[in-house]
Amino acid sequence: MEEREKLHGLTTSTHSKNSPVFVMLPLDTIAIGGNLNKPRAMNASLMALKSAGVEGVMVDCWWGLVEKDGPLKYNWEGYDELVKMVQENGLKLQVVMSFHQCGGNVGDSCSIPLPPWVLEEISKNPDLVYTDRSGRRNPEYISLGCDQLPEIQVGMGPCGELRYPSYPESNGTWRFPGIGEFQCYDKYMKASLAASAHAVGNESWGRGGPHDSGQYNQFPEETEFFKRDGTWSNEYGQFFLEWYSRKLLEHGDRILTAAEGIYKETGAKLSGKVAGIHWHYNTRSHAAELTAGYYNTRNRDGYLPIARMFARRGVVFNFTCMEMRDGEQPQSANCSPEGLVRQVKNATRMVGVELAGENALERYDRGGYGQVLSTSRADTGNGLSAFTYLRLNKRLFEPENWRNLVEFVKNMSEGGNTRLPECDSSRTDLYVRFVKHSHGNKTAGVAVV
């Protein structure tokens, strides 16, 4: 670890900063029909969050709902109602422009496919979506290889994150802690690879991705490409990984450039989300990060280029797994979420880009909140400008969980230097009692959204 810290140039600072807390709303906040789901329950939940000192909420704006009926045929009715409700409750709103489908990823609790007219185009031309070496198509989003084709609108990537869909959970394709697979086998990506290989004078390098990179659920040492001194480190491996990661960076830059052009006069702050791929982080190759498009290895910092690209556009770097500890992970997976977070905090600090955070998995315990408080401070690398909690649901309003959330929000707002008393009747118990009372009448859906 000392050598890795020297490599990535980790620095230290002693100051702390206030970090406002946002809470993610349910994935199905807007119903399939385009209306606001359970409006009375939502309003009661927003009132409770406001009383707890929460800064605001985050909601996914699904492409498959807003533009469902055809190109440029928009339905904003449900979102309009939500915006007004959030405003009336004195909260702020973060909107995630979600151009991917909902369903098939960690935590997905409902299904919202891409717009029907988009799926129809994909059925006509399957190469519009990401494809792995076995020819398996992923209909969750459009391949970045199509970025410059006319009339193709794309988001940052799967789960709204700037990455390749290298570890799809749907249908059991991938399971933790598999290394994943490269996603560069649609005809557009293959054409780009062939052109890059031709440009460096080695046509053989452009005939497809690495043949020795294994399968979704293997470990690095089970493959020739990712093992300790594998192909990833030779001349061909470096060529391929530079091309693969560069394509992702170019994709992100194009999307952010377009967003900048749309939102620059509104005063809205833009952010981009990067995945916290912490498994196999303690190996030389960092295989799981490589297949996702992050060219981060024992001797190369893959997050600095992403941070620089975000900095050029003035975009907030939003990162996950802020709640995870190394000691909670299985030893066999060579995980280090804490090391990964330190590296990202340092990379964003070096280039002067704002860093925000999320938890990757649902946590309600003080240990998870305590880890977020620790990572939010600027004692190593960049401090968090804001934190978004995953997610508003029934469990959050259970008495102990609610008290823990209120204590956490207060700590974050005060730089992590204070604690709430065990019983804070002035804030916490008010809405816990309200939720309990509501279960016995027609408003049983209160806070269960």
Side-chain angles (χ1 to χ4, degrees):
M1 286 303 300
E2 288 181 359
E3 290 181 358
R4 185 178 296 113
E5 289 178 359
K6 290 178 181 177
L7 163 68
H8 295 306
L10 296 179
T11 58
T12 59
S13 174
T14 57
H15 77 281
S16 61
K17 59 189 295 187
N18 297 346
S19 299
V21 175
F22 290 75
V23 174
M24 296 185 197
L25 297 182
L27 295 169
D28 61 350
T29 292
I30 305 300
I32 293 296
N35 56 295
L36 179 62
N37 238 337
K38 304 177 183 175
R40 286 196 299 176
M42 176 59 70
N43 192 56
S45 299
L46 295 177
M47 289 172 61
L49 293 175
K50 177 63 176 179
S51 78
V54 167
E55 183 84 359
V57 292
M58 172 187 281
V59 68
D60 286 275
C61 183
W62 296 106
W63 188 19
L65 296 182
V66 173
E67 203 175 2
K68 183 175 66 174
D69 297 330
L72 303 181
K73 296 179 180 179
Y74 299 106
N75 177 9
W76 296 104
E77 182 179 341
Y79 290 101
D80 283 341
E81 187 176 355
L82 177 66
V83 168
K84 293 174 183 175
M85 189 178 290
V86 170
Q87 186 178 35
E88 288 170 356
N89 280 283
L91 295 167
K92 294 181 180 178
L93 182 65
Q94 296 178 343
V95 181
V96 180
M97 307 307 291
S98 298
F99 292 102
H100 58 285
Q101 79 168 20
C102 180
N105 286 294
V106 176
D108 284 354
S109 55
C110 63
S111 177
I112 304 174
L114 298 184
W117 56 275
V118 175
L119 295 177
E120 183 179 347
E121 292 301 315
I122 292 172
S123 69
K124 296 176 185 176
N125 180 8
D127 283 295
L128 291 176
V129 296
Y130 283 113
T131 309
D132 66 18
R133 187 172 55 185
S134 302
R136 185 185 288 104
R137 308 286 190 179
N138 192 320
E140 188 181 349
Y141 28 74
I142 295 172
S143 166
L144 65 81
C146 304
D147 278 6
Q148 299 186 24
L149 295 180
E151 297 184 14
I152 295 295
Q153 190 172 27
V154 293
M156 294 281 278
C159 292
E161 296 168 336
L162 180 64
R163 65 172 174 87
Y164 291 96
S166 57
Y167 50 101
E169 285 199 305
S170 59
N171 303 319
T173 302
W174 171 89
R175 60 183 179 273
F176 177 85
I179 58 176
E181 289 191 21
F182 292 113
Q183 306 290 310
C184 56
Y185 293 89
D186 62 77
K187 67 180 182 182
Y188 304 106
M189 291 291 281
K190 288 165 70 176
S192 173
L193 178 60
S196 292
H198 176 77
V200 298
N202 196 327
E203 305 282 349
S204 64
W205 287 356
R207 295 172 185 163
H211 67 280
D212 55 356
S213 56
Q215 299 175 338
Y216 284 105
N217 295 310
Q218 289 187 293
F219 275 49
E221 293 304 314
E222 296 174 331
T223 76
E224 290 298 315
F225 191 87
F226 294 116
K227 69 181 185 181
R228 183 180 176 89
D229 294 309
T231 315
W232 64 272
S233 61
N234 69 18
E235 191 176 3
Y236 162 72
Q238 292 173 33
F239 159 78
F240 174 79
L241 292 171
E242 286 172 358
W243 168 80
Y244 191 69
S245 61
R246 184 179 70 251
K247 291 290 290 183
L248 187 68
L249 280 170
E250 291 172 350
H251 167 71
D253 195 50
R254 279 192 291 269
I255 298 302
L256 294 178
T257 300
E260 187 180 36
I262 294 169
Y263 292 105
K264 64 181 179 181
E265 302 297 333
T266 68
K269 181 175 287 189
L270 298 179
S271 71
K273 188 175 178 182
V274 177
I277 302 176
H278 57 85
W279 52 105
H280 305 300
Y281 183 84
N282 281 337
T283 64
R284 285 194 173 190
S285 65
H286 292 231
E289 292 164 88
L290 297 186
T291 57
Y294 306 151
Y295 190 1
N296 190 56
T297 66
R298 181 65 60 87
N299 49 19
R300 188 182 193 278
D301 191 329
Y303 297 98
L304 266 176
I306 300 174
R308 289 192 186 105
M309 185 262 288
F310 279 26
R312 284 198 305 272
R313 301 295 172 196
V315 173
V316 178
F317 191 117
N318 191 14
F319 199 65
T320 61
C321 78
M322 293 289 178
E323 85 286 11
M324 292 184 172
R325 297 172 178 163
D326 290 0
E328 298 170 338
Q329 313 303 319
Q331 285 189 332
S332 61
N334 283 301
C335 299
S336 183
E338 294 180 59
L340 176 59
V341 168
R342 282 196 298 270
Q343 183 182 344
V344 168
K345 289 177 69 176
N346 189 66
T348 54
R349 183 176 186 176
M350 287 176 65
V351 301
V353 69
E354 197 171 327
L355 176 66
E358 297 179 5
N359 49 313
L361 302 175
E362 289 183 11
R363 292 285 293 267
Y364 306 94
D365 60 291
R366 290 192 172 194
Y369 286 131
Q371 183 64 15
V372 174
L373 282 167
S374 176
T375 58
S376 71
R377 294 191 284 262
D379 49 359
T380 56
N382 214 2
L384 297 187
S385 61
F387 177 79
T388 303
Y389 174 78
L390 184 155
R391 161 179 325 268
L392 181 68
N393 58 25
K394 181 178 180 179
R395 288 192 63 191
L396 182 61
F397 289 92
E398 294 174 4
E400 182 64 21
N401 294 345
W402 183 248
R403 282 191 287 269
N404 288 341
L405 175 70
V406 174
E407 179 179 337
F408 167 69
V409 171
K410 184 173 177 61
N411 270 297
M412 290 288 281
S413 68
E414 297 179 357
N417 297 319
T418 61
R419 291 174 60 86
L420 279 182
E422 290 299 315
C423 180
D424 177 22
S425 59
S426 66
R427 301 178 71 184
T428 307
D429 291 342
L430 170 64
Y431 277 99
V432 171
R433 286 200 300 269
F434 172 68
V435 171
K436 286 181 179 178
H437 174 72
S438 301
H439 284 181
N441 55 37
K442 292 183 179 179
T443 58
V446 169
V448 186
V449 291

